[in-house]
Amino acid sequence: MSTFEPNRERIFNDLSALVSFNSPHSVPELAEQHAGAADWVASALAERGLEVERHATVDNADAIIARKHVSDDAPTVLLYSHYDVVPAGDPAAWTADPFTLTERDGRWYGRGAADCKGNVAMHLEALRLIDEAGGTDANLVVLVEGSEELGGGGLENLIEEKPELFAADIILIADSGNVTVGTPTLTTALRGGAQLKVTVETLRGAIHSGTFGGPAPDPVAALIRTLDSLRDETGRTTIDGLGDALSATWPGQPYDTEAFRKDAGVLDGVSLMGDIDSGGENAADMVWARPAVTVIGFTSTPVDEAVNAIIPRAEAQLNLRVPAGMDPAAAAEALKKHIIDHTPWGAKVEVEIFDVNHGFATDPSRPAIALLGECLEEAYKEAPASAAPGGVSNDLVSVGSGGSIPLTAKLQEHYPDAAIAMYGVEDNNAGIHSVDESVHPFEIERVAVAEAKFLQRVTSL
């Protein structure tokens, strides 16, 4: 077997080129940037000797599909990532220009550096490494989409319309990462979920708070009281009708409490939700095994526009997350009923459910996934000591993810026999979707080596 030696300079050059495109989807003024990122990916894959196709999606985000066919008898491996990003926000809030890949304290900073352009660069390096070692006997499909951050609906529709484009025996989804830098990690479960918009009305119009305040029903207070019913006194989620799901436990790797506090940026002295700080349960239970509700939007009167009035309506948007195996539509209906039943004072309440998506779970004991795990572990153990950051742990861990990737469930639906694995170059300090997003180059290097090892060995399964 070959010894793979990744080239950090060419990885940096690839990622630097990709990060230079400000490529969120559905931002009209950035359409050329988004298209430029797609063009770059297509060209880079063509340079690797793959046959590149571009397929327009219903949301106008080209899916780049590149192929290399070896044999009708060989297994087909699909490598996935995406070239779109979330908006960078105010560039002035970043330490450096978000579209110039910048190295600081051993990490590379830029929008998309980890999510998910770093994974595109990783795939490209893995393809170079396997080519330098004489190639793979497996058939390859490389899929890089352009609207994942908006839910990937365009790609899901394309899978429905042309499932033959995505047929594979093994699907490797690089849109996840390691629990810490240097700890090889497989993600074995993703949460599903839904969005809910809640509107509470009590009055025909705004009224003077001095004249009517007290007996007049305040919709903001009504909505706050309703939302408060979704947690018990410790902060655990409480949704009527979900029963034992609200106390489920995570069977795999626990999530160290201090690591969770650090990863989440919890302020000193602030308690975690539930009974975590006292050791009664683990963060992994609440983030990977149970339903959770987050208030992600709330509308009343902005503080800087406040006047002495009771407004007639208030709104909130809720993000519901459910563990793999739970029906997100049924859970959303239970949440809707809970909200209606707990709205006080006869206030008029409407609940709209949308963006329902299913969770996903994979079996790490399947031969192809187990092989990927072995390759990840080997890749980290073989890393030169001079390249490894301090505190590296080489033991493979399997974890869940609180996030959702609807594509995984769609692929599993169409290809139930395919082995689907999730991994990637992110770590919990990457700050994805935030200011100063970053990636550690060591992660790109080692995951690329692991992927090359996998492609070298997969035909022996």
Side-chain angles (χ1 to χ4, degrees):
M1 294 295 176
S2 300
T3 299
F4 296 106
E5 297 182 2
N7 184 314
R8 183 169 293 195
E9 182 179 358
R10 68 186 178 191
I11 295 172
F12 182 89
N13 290 338
D14 281 346
L15 188 53
S16 180
L18 259 178
V19 165
S20 71
F21 295 102
N22 184 3
S23 57
H25 182 251
S26 294
V27 180
E29 60 270 27
L30 296 174
E32 289 188 6
Q33 291 284 309
H34 184 269
D39 292 342
W40 190 94
V41 171
S43 177
L45 289 171
E47 288 178 5
R48 303 279 15 104
L50 283 76
E51 297 180 6
V52 178
E53 305 168 354
R54 297 177 69 141
H55 294 268
T57 60
V58 293
D59 54 8
N60 297 314
D62 280 3
I64 311 299
I65 303 177
R67 304 178 184 278
K68 181 177 286 186
H69 184 80
V70 175
S71 167
D72 291 342
D73 298 324
T76 297
V77 180
L78 186 150
L79 309 177
Y80 167 87
S81 194
H82 62 88
Y83 62 83
D84 64 307
V85 296
V86 298
D90 181 6
W94 289 65
T95 302
D97 175 28
F99 309 110
T100 300
L101 192 65
T102 306
E103 183 169 0
R104 295 196 304 276
D105 300 322
R107 297 185 70 95
W108 295 347
Y109 289 80
R111 173 54 85 226
D115 183 23
C116 200
K117 293 175 177 179
N119 283 303
V120 176
M122 180 275 294
H123 282 323
L124 290 171
E125 185 65 8
L127 292 174
R128 289 193 187 96
L129 292 174
I130 195 66
D131 284 346
E132 291 168 357
T136 175
D137 292 330
N139 301 316
L140 285 177
V141 180
V142 183
L143 166 63
V144 187
E145 69 162 311
S147 61
E148 190 277 341
E149 297 294 2
L150 290 182
L155 187 60
E156 290 182 59
N157 286 344
L158 187 60
I159 293 172
E160 291 282 1
E161 295 171 2
K162 299 179 179 180
E164 69 279 1
L165 294 176
F166 309 91
D169 302 291
I170 301 160
I171 300 172
L172 305 185
I173 296 178
D175 193 8
S176 184
N178 293 342
V179 293
T180 58
V181 172
T183 302
T185 304
L186 284 174
T187 300
T188 59
L190 296 170
R191 289 197 283 192
Q195 304 281 350
L196 294 90
K197 180 181 178 182
V198 182
T199 302
V200 175
E201 293 183 296
T202 58
L203 302 167
R204 294 187 180 89
I207 56 176
H208 194 283
S209 60
T211 304
F212 298 104
D218 181 350
V220 177
L223 182 53
I224 289 172
R225 180 162 292 190
T226 303
L227 297 177
D228 186 56
S229 73
L230 294 172
R231 297 187 185 277
D232 68 13
E233 65 278 2
T234 73
R236 294 186 189 90
T237 300
T238 56
I239 302 174
D240 296 346
L242 293 190
D244 292 343
L246 297 169
S247 57
T249 57
W250 174 248
Q253 179 85 8
Y255 200 150
D256 179 76
T257 299
E258 290 307 311
F260 181 88
R261 296 183 68 90
K262 179 181 178 182
D263 294 342
V266 180
L267 298 178
D268 290 344
V270 178
S271 299
L272 298 181
M273 300 290 196
D275 195 26
I276 294 173
D277 287 319
S278 61
E281 54 198 342
N282 188 266
D285 300 332
M286 297 181 70
V287 78
W288 299 332
R290 303 177 188 173
V293 181
T294 303
V295 181
I296 61 172
F298 193 99
T299 301
S300 62
T301 302
V303 171
D304 59 2
E305 299 175 16
V307 295
N308 293 328
I310 303 171
I311 61 174
R313 66 155 45 191
E315 297 177 332
Q317 185 160 325
L318 310 183
N319 176 228
L320 171 67
R321 301 281 180 161
V322 300
M326 176 176 281
D327 182 347
E333 289 293 343
L335 176 55
K336 176 179 179 178
K337 185 176 187 303
H338 177 109
I339 291 168
I340 293 170
D341 291 346
H342 287 264
T343 300
W345 314 321
K348 307 303 180 185
V349 58
E350 294 184 0
V351 182
E352 175 190 359
I353 299 171
F354 57 100
D355 283 353
V356 177
N357 64 88
H358 286 266
F360 169 82
T362 189
D363 180 0
S365 68
R366 293 192 65 172
I369 301 175
L371 174 61
L372 178 63
E374 293 171 9
C375 293
L376 282 164
E377 196 165 62
E378 285 183 19
Y380 280 86
K381 286 182 177 179
E382 294 171 358
S386 59
V392 168
S393 169
N394 300 129
D395 295 328
L396 179 76
V397 300
S398 296
V399 299
S401 172
S404 300
I405 305 177
L407 171 70
T408 53
K410 182 63 65 177
L411 289 169
Q412 196 170 53
E413 173 189 338
H414 281 275
Y415 311 107
D417 295 329
I420 304 177
M422 292 175 291
Y423 60 106
V425 305
E426 301 170 13
D427 67 271
N428 284 332
N429 291 318
I432 65 171
H433 295 197
S434 301
V435 168
D436 285 349
E437 177 183 352
S438 68
V439 68
H440 200 297
F442 181 76
E443 299 295 82
I444 300 181
E445 292 171 342
R446 302 330 298 173
V447 178
V449 168
E451 193 168 276
K453 285 176 174 286
F454 179 86
L455 294 175
Q456 189 177 60
R457 300 178 191 175
V458 65
T459 52
S460 64
L461 292 175

